[in-house]
């Protein structure tokens, strides 16, 4: 089975995490990471999630389940 690229990049398996910071905070982030390896994978420029030219939805679609996961289980 082929893994969707968005799931591969943004999934939390294998201790992956996506962190979004403002460019002005990059030096502080790099310092805080110390020797922990990380990779810069892109920049936030629009409200749509494009990976290699393919549209995977909007950032609102990705954030909505994250922001409401507990509430949705209680209803």
């Amino acid at each position: 089975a082929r893994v969707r690229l968005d799931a591969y990049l943004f999934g939390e398996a294998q201790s992956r995490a996506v962190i979004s910071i403002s460019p002005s905070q990059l030096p502080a982030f790099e310092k805080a990471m110390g020797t922990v390896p990380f990779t810069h994978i892109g920049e936030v420029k629009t409200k749509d999630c494009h990976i290699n030219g393919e549209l995977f939805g909007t950032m609102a679609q990705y954030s909505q389940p994250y922001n409401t996961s507990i509430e949705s289980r209680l209803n």
Side-chain angles (χ1 to χ4, degrees):
R2 183 175 172 259
V3 176
R4 285 180 29 171
L5 186 56
D6 61 331
Y8 176 76
L9 291 173
F10 299 108
E12 295 177 357
Q14 299 298 318
S15 301
R16 287 188 302 258
V18 175
I19 301 169
S20 180
I21 59 171
S22 67
S24 65
Q25 294 298 314
L26 183 58
F29 172 77
E30 291 174 336
K31 182 178 180 183
M33 292 301 291
T35 60
V36 176
F38 67 92
T39 302
H40 178 258
I41 62 169
E43 297 176 2
V44 177
K45 294 183 176 185
T46 69
K47 295 181 182 198
D48 294 330
C49 181
H50 293 267
I51 303 170
N52 295 336
E54 184 177 349
L55 178 62
F56 283 90
T58 67
M59 296 312 294
Q61 289 171 310
Y62 279 89
S63 64
Q64 194 274 338
Y66 174 82
N67 290 329
T68 62
S69 63
I70 295 174
E71 297 93 311
S72 69
R73 297 286 183 196
L74 297 175
N75 294 327

